[in-house]
């Protein structure tokens, strides 16, 4: 009876997709069922209704595990941000009806509902993959002394950053730059969260400088994600010790970031990427424009066409399989090619070119245009095999992330070093869900890097066998 009930609870994850499919004739109703269904999936999975949450740590002390932060970022971005696009189709701008006379584009509306149903199925399958393999705690084989943890985190942050810069300078090995740079950021942020409650003044000062430097870089990257992630990660790490303060301060900060960053990023790119103004001046001009509301209509356009990727998904759904057949395992084969470092294969096909071929074939971008429009992970899953492709590949996606998190905790003596540092630092690409070739390449080499770091920590006696 227990197993039957357990299976039934997993099946509830798929009810939003099922009901949205049943009512597909009404595009508005179908979309809303699928969209609200993701909120239901969040609720029943994060509260432990489908499967009990791990009991080895409190809720606030395991937020970096895949079920929590990874699901919130990956599935939240994938499934929830399309609401602005949907409202835009219905004639809304800034949540106000602009013109009731203009007729709704029924074809666009129908495909929007269709893609939202795909998102709902992807969310359910992804969460199923996580929950099936979510088995904590694992038997510990290694440990680190608590007194050494704060200093180790600081050392990882300080050492991994220059090493990442070195990889950036070596032809063919630049992909390791992103892994180690992310690891440095996570380590520094985690070290700061450890140093503050322990009253380690020197550690706190050094970590604060590192964090502010990373935040400075995020603001000058021309992208909104690094800034939002910088704020969110620090809040998550500090939350267990300062629940009330973090709730009162970081939630408004995140909301402000979502509201103001679109205008800032738009203005920054216009100035910095044109080549006429340097980065510092571009940042100042963008900040002034944001605070003075010089670009009032940029936010809605940003939310509709850039915050969500459903517009691109619709174009792919219109062309596949009607004009372009499903790719089957071709994209996975191309991902195996991408894994080989260019230093060992100088003539290796450019990964960007491989990805852009399906973009051009679907008519998302013109071959003569100078744009980069890489499909999201769920789109590649759809292109590989439609509904079945989404179900199988997103299940594997969630399962792989979960199994790597568990492996990291085994190798590094538990949650803090295993998931909070190594998994979140080296495998942060799981949060974003990029195209197959970029994601599989990054995950493969991040896994190798994880093994190497573990051997280094064992060799330096920071990590000890039980």
């Amino acid at each position: 009876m227990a197993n039957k009930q357990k299976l039934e609870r997993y099946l509830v994850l798929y009810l939003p997709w099922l009901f949205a499919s049943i009512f597909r004739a009404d595009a508005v109703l179908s979309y809303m069922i699928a969209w609200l269904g993701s909120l239901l999936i969040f609720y029943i999975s994060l509260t432990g209704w489908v499967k009990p949450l791990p009991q080895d740590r409190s809720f606030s002390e395991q937020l970096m595990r895949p079920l929590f932060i990874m699901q919130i970022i990956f599935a939240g971005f994938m499934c929830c941000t399309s609401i602005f696009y949907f409202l835009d189709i219905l004639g809304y701008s800034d949540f106000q009806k602009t013109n009731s006379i203009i007729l709704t584009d029924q074809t666009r509306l129908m495909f929007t509902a269709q893609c939202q149903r795909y998102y709902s199925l992807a969310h359910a399958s992804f969460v199923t993959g996580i929950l099936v393999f979510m088995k904590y705690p694992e038997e510990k084989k290694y440990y680190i002394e608590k007194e050494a943890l704060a200093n180790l985190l600081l050392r990882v942050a300080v050492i991994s950053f220059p090493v990442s810069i070195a990889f950036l300078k070596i032809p063919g090995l630049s992909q390791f730059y992103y892994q180690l740079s992310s690891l440095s950021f996570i380590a520094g942020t985690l070290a700061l969260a450890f140093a503050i409650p322990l009253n380690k003044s020197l550690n706190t000062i050094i970590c604060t400088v590192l964090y502010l430097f990373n935040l400075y870089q995020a603001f000058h990257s021309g992208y909104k994600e690094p800034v939002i992630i910088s704020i969110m990660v620090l809040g998550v790490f500090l939350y267990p010790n300062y629940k009330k303060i973090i709730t009162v301060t970081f939630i408004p900060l995140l909301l402000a970031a979502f509201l103001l960053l679109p205008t800032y990023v738009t203005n920054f790119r216009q100035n910095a990427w044109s080549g006429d103004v340097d980065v510092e001046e571009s940042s100042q001009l963008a900040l002034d424009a944001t605070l003075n509301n010089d670009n009032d209509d940029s936010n809605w356009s940003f939310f509709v066409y850039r915050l969500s990727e459903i517009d691109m998904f619709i174009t792919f759904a219109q062309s596949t399989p009607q004009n372009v057949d499903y790719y089957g395992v071709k994209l996975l084969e191309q991902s195996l090619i991408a894994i080989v470092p260019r230093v060992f294969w100088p003539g290796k096909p450019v990964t960007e070119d491989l990805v852009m071929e399906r973009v051009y074939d679907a008519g998302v971008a013109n071959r003569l245009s100078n744009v980069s429009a890489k499909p999201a992970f769920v789109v590649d899953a759809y292109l590989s095999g439609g509904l079945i492709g989404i179900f199988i590949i997103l299940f594997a996606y969630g399962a792989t992330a979960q199994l790597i998190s568990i492996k990291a905790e085994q190798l590094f003596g538990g949650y803090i070093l295993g998931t909070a540092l190594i998994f979140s630092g080296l495998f942060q690409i799981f949060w974003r869900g990029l195209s197959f070739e970029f994601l599989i390449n990054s995950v493969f080499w991040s896994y190798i890097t994880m093994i190497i770091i573990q051997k280094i920590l064992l060799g330096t006696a920071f990590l000890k066998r039980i």
Side-chain angles (χ1 to χ4, degrees):
M1 181 64 70
N3 290 334
K4 183 179 179 181
Q5 184 187 43
K6 184 177 179 181
L7 176 61
E8 289 173 349
R9 294 198 172 194
Y10 277 104
L11 292 176
V12 171
L13 295 169
Y14 296 87
L15 289 181
W17 167 75
L18 178 62
F19 284 115
S21 299
I22 291 174
F23 293 101
R24 69 176 64 194
D26 187 333
V28 173
L29 178 60
S30 180
Y31 173 90
M32 289 307 302
I33 292 173
W35 188 82
L36 291 171
S38 281
L39 302 185
L40 173 67
I41 294 172
F42 278 121
Y43 178 77
I44 63 178
S45 62
L46 295 177
T47 57
W49 184 85
V50 179
K51 181 177 182 177
L53 300 179
Q55 298 298 309
D56 60 325
R57 304 181 71 87
S58 67
F59 183 91
S60 64
E61 293 177 331
Q62 56 178 316
L63 293 177
M64 300 304 288
R65 282 174 171 162
L67 180 64
F68 301 97
I69 192 168
M70 179 182 164
Q71 182 190 179
I72 291 170
I73 296 177
F74 172 71
F77 175 77
M78 175 177 67
C79 302
C80 299
T81 56
S82 63
I83 189 66
F84 302 102
Y85 189 87
F86 174 72
L87 291 173
D88 189 71
I89 294 174
L90 297 181
Y92 287 84
S93 179
D94 290 326
F95 303 102
Q96 296 181 353
K97 190 76 171 179
T98 55
N99 194 334
S100 58
I101 301 176
I102 299 177
L103 296 177
T104 302
D105 186 338
Q106 292 298 323
T107 300
R108 186 178 168 210
L109 180 61
M110 179 189 70
F111 274 103
T112 301
Q114 177 181 326
C115 289
Q116 192 64 36
R117 292 194 295 271
Y118 292 149
Y119 284 150
S120 179
L121 175 62
H123 191 180
S125 184
F126 162 69
V127 170
T128 302
I130 291 177
L131 293 178
V132 166
F133 293 95
M134 187 179 70
K135 299 174 183 178
Y136 299 103
E138 287 294 314
E139 181 183 355
K140 287 189 177 182
K141 298 180 181 179
Y142 306 95
Y143 74 98
I144 182 172
E145 296 176 356
K146 291 184 178 180
E147 295 76 12
L149 190 55
N151 289 332
L152 173 61
L153 291 170
L154 180 57
R155 292 188 184 189
V156 172
V158 172
I159 294 173
S160 56
F161 181 73
V163 174
S164 70
I165 298 297
F167 275 115
L168 187 62
K169 303 296 183 181
I170 301 174
L173 294 179
S174 59
Q175 64 186 27
F176 294 100
Y177 160 77
Y178 299 101
Q179 300 169 15
L180 294 175
S181 177
S182 176
L183 180 65
S184 175
F185 161 68
I186 292 293
T189 308
L190 188 55
L192 177 59
F194 262 80
I196 292 175
L198 291 176
N199 294 319
K200 287 179 170 287
S201 301
L202 181 59
N203 286 36
T204 302
I205 293 172
I206 296 174
C207 293
T208 301
V209 171
L210 285 173
Y211 179 80
L212 293 176
F213 176 73
N214 279 302
L215 190 61
Y216 170 84
Q217 284 191 312
F219 270 102
H220 289 79
S221 67
Y223 298 95
K224 63 187 182 300
E225 292 88 353
V227 179
I228 294 173
I229 288 176
S230 296
I231 297 171
M232 181 181 293
V233 169
L234 181 60
V236 168
F237 284 157
L238 288 173
Y239 182 73
N241 291 313
Y242 306 100
K243 292 183 177 66
K244 290 184 179 179
I245 296 176
I246 297 304
T247 301
V248 171
T249 57
F250 276 76
I251 290 180
L253 274 175
L254 284 172
L255 291 174
F258 274 107
L259 292 173
L260 299 177
L261 278 175
T263 302
Y264 173 85
V265 168
T266 299
N267 284 279
F268 178 86
R269 291 178 178 179
Q270 289 174 351
N271 294 308
W273 293 6
S274 66
D276 297 329
V277 183
D278 63 27
V279 173
E280 288 291 343
E281 187 175 353
S282 298
S283 178
Q284 187 59 52
L285 290 172
L287 184 60
D288 291 341
T290 302
L291 297 178
N292 295 324
N293 295 315
D294 291 344
N295 198 4
D296 293 333
D297 63 343
S298 66
N299 277 6
W300 185 254
S301 178
F302 189 96
F303 290 149
V304 171
Y305 293 104
R306 297 192 61 85
L307 182 62
S308 169
E309 296 182 340
I310 195 170
D311 187 58
M312 184 191 299
F313 196 177
I314 289 171
T315 305
F316 279 109
Q318 289 174 323
S319 64
T320 300
Q322 288 83 354
N323 303 321
V324 181
D325 199 7
Y326 292 121
Y327 287 85
V329 298
K330 181 180 178 181
L331 304 186
L332 295 176
E333 292 173 349
Q334 291 181 173
S335 300
L336 296 179
I337 293 175
I339 286 176
V340 182
R342 191 168 298 279
V343 68
F344 300 124
W345 184 5
K348 184 182 76 169
V350 178
T351 304
E352 178 88 9
D353 294 342
L354 293 175
V355 174
M356 288 301 294
E357 273 302 309
R358 53 188 178 272
V359 175
Y360 297 140
D361 291 342
V364 174
N366 190 288
R367 291 181 182 273
L368 300 178
S369 62
N370 185 23
V371 298
S372 177
K374 294 180 284 292
F377 188 85
V378 65
V379 175
D380 275 355
Y382 169 79
L383 294 177
S384 297
L387 280 175
I388 298 300
I390 290 175
F391 174 75
I392 294 175
I393 292 172
L394 267 295
F395 176 87
Y397 187 75
T400 301
Q402 181 58 58
L403 289 171
I404 291 176
S405 172
I406 290 175
K407 185 64 176 179
E409 293 199 16
Q410 287 179 335
L411 293 176
F412 293 90
Y415 170 81
I416 297 297
L417 284 185
T419 290
L421 175 63
I422 297 298
F423 179 76
S424 301
L426 293 180
F427 298 92
Q428 201 174 108
I429 195 169
F430 273 126
W431 299 0
R432 302 165 62 190
L434 299 181
S435 306
F436 281 7
E437 293 89 342
F438 290 103
L439 186 135
I440 292 174
N441 169 62
S442 178
V443 169
F444 177 85
W445 287 108
S446 291
Y447 196 90
I448 301 299
T449 304
M450 177 176 72
I451 300 299
I452 293 173
I453 292 175
Q454 197 249 5
K455 299 300 181 186
I456 293 174
L457 294 183
L458 278 174
T460 54
F462 274 107
L463 199 61
K464 301 177 181 179
R465 297 181 188 274
I466 294 179

Short mmCIF file of all heavy atoms in Angstrom, two decimals, residues 23 29 91 137 228 275 283 328 330 357 364 407 435 442:
data_model
loop_
_atom_site.label_atom_id
_atom_site.label_comp_id
_atom_site.label_asym_id
_atom_site.label_seq_id
_atom_site.Cartn_x
_atom_site.Cartn_y
_atom_site.Cartn_z
N PHE A 23 -7.69 20.06 -22.14
CA PHE A 23 -8.38 21.31 -22.49
C PHE A 23 -7.60 22.13 -23.51
O PHE A 23 -7.70 23.36 -23.54
CB PHE A 23 -8.61 22.14 -21.22
CG PHE A 23 -9.58 21.53 -20.26
CD1 PHE A 23 -9.14 20.84 -19.13
CD2 PHE A 23 -10.94 21.61 -20.48
CE1 PHE A 23 -10.03 20.27 -18.24
CE2 PHE A 23 -11.85 21.05 -19.60
CZ PHE A 23 -11.39 20.37 -18.48
N LEU A 29 -7.24 28.67 -21.28
CA LEU A 29 -7.43 27.76 -20.14
C LEU A 29 -6.29 26.75 -20.07
O LEU A 29 -5.77 26.46 -18.98
CB LEU A 29 -8.77 27.04 -20.27
CG LEU A 29 -9.10 26.01 -19.17
CD1 LEU A 29 -9.13 26.69 -17.81
CD2 LEU A 29 -10.42 25.31 -19.46
N GLY A 91 -2.86 41.31 -25.17
CA GLY A 91 -3.00 42.76 -25.33
C GLY A 91 -2.68 43.58 -24.12
O GLY A 91 -3.08 44.74 -24.01
N PRO A 137 20.90 10.69 4.33
CA PRO A 137 22.33 10.96 4.07
C PRO A 137 23.05 9.71 3.58
O PRO A 137 22.63 8.59 3.85
CB PRO A 137 22.84 11.35 5.47
CG PRO A 137 21.98 10.54 6.39
CD PRO A 137 20.62 10.44 5.74
N ILE A 228 21.76 38.70 -9.99
CA ILE A 228 20.70 38.05 -9.23
C ILE A 228 21.23 36.86 -8.45
O ILE A 228 20.91 36.67 -7.27
CB ILE A 228 19.55 37.62 -10.17
CG1 ILE A 228 18.88 38.86 -10.77
CG2 ILE A 228 18.53 36.76 -9.44
CD1 ILE A 228 17.85 38.57 -11.84
N GLY A 275 31.13 50.03 -28.30
CA GLY A 275 32.56 50.30 -28.41
C GLY A 275 32.92 51.76 -28.28
O GLY A 275 34.10 52.12 -28.27
N SER A 283 28.55 51.71 -17.29
CA SER A 283 27.85 51.32 -16.07
C SER A 283 27.22 52.53 -15.39
O SER A 283 26.08 52.46 -14.93
CB SER A 283 28.83 50.63 -15.11
OG SER A 283 28.18 50.27 -13.91
N GLY A 328 16.71 13.05 -33.04
CA GLY A 328 17.09 11.77 -32.44
C GLY A 328 18.29 11.93 -31.52
O GLY A 328 18.29 12.78 -30.62
N LYS A 330 21.32 12.78 -32.57
CA LYS A 330 22.35 13.60 -33.22
C LYS A 330 22.93 14.65 -32.28
O LYS A 330 24.16 14.88 -32.25
CB LYS A 330 21.78 14.28 -34.46
CG LYS A 330 22.81 15.13 -35.21
CD LYS A 330 22.21 15.80 -36.43
CE LYS A 330 23.25 16.69 -37.13
NZ LYS A 330 22.66 17.37 -38.32
N GLU A 357 23.37 25.69 -36.13
CA GLU A 357 22.81 25.04 -37.32
C GLU A 357 21.32 24.76 -37.14
O GLU A 357 20.52 24.99 -38.05
CB GLU A 357 23.55 23.74 -37.63
CG GLU A 357 24.79 23.92 -38.49
CD GLU A 357 24.49 24.58 -39.83
OE1 GLU A 357 23.57 24.11 -40.53
OE2 GLU A 357 25.15 25.58 -40.17
N VAL A 364 14.85 30.50 -36.66
CA VAL A 364 14.93 31.38 -35.50
C VAL A 364 15.79 32.60 -35.81
O VAL A 364 15.52 33.72 -35.36
CB VAL A 364 15.48 30.63 -34.27
CG1 VAL A 364 15.70 31.58 -33.10
CG2 VAL A 364 14.54 29.51 -33.86
N LYS A 407 27.13 12.19 -4.88
CA LYS A 407 28.53 11.78 -5.03
C LYS A 407 29.46 12.82 -4.42
O LYS A 407 30.45 12.48 -3.74
CB LYS A 407 28.87 11.59 -6.51
CG LYS A 407 30.27 11.06 -6.76
CD LYS A 407 30.46 9.66 -6.19
CE LYS A 407 31.81 9.09 -6.54
NZ LYS A 407 32.01 7.72 -5.96
N SER A 435 22.14 24.60 -23.99
CA SER A 435 22.08 23.60 -25.06
C SER A 435 22.89 22.37 -24.70
O SER A 435 23.84 22.44 -23.92
CB SER A 435 22.61 24.21 -26.37
OG SER A 435 21.95 25.41 -26.68
N SER A 442 30.39 20.81 -20.12
CA SER A 442 30.73 21.43 -18.84
C SER A 442 30.58 20.43 -17.69
O SER A 442 31.43 20.37 -16.80
CB SER A 442 29.83 22.64 -18.60
OG SER A 442 30.10 23.22 -17.34
#
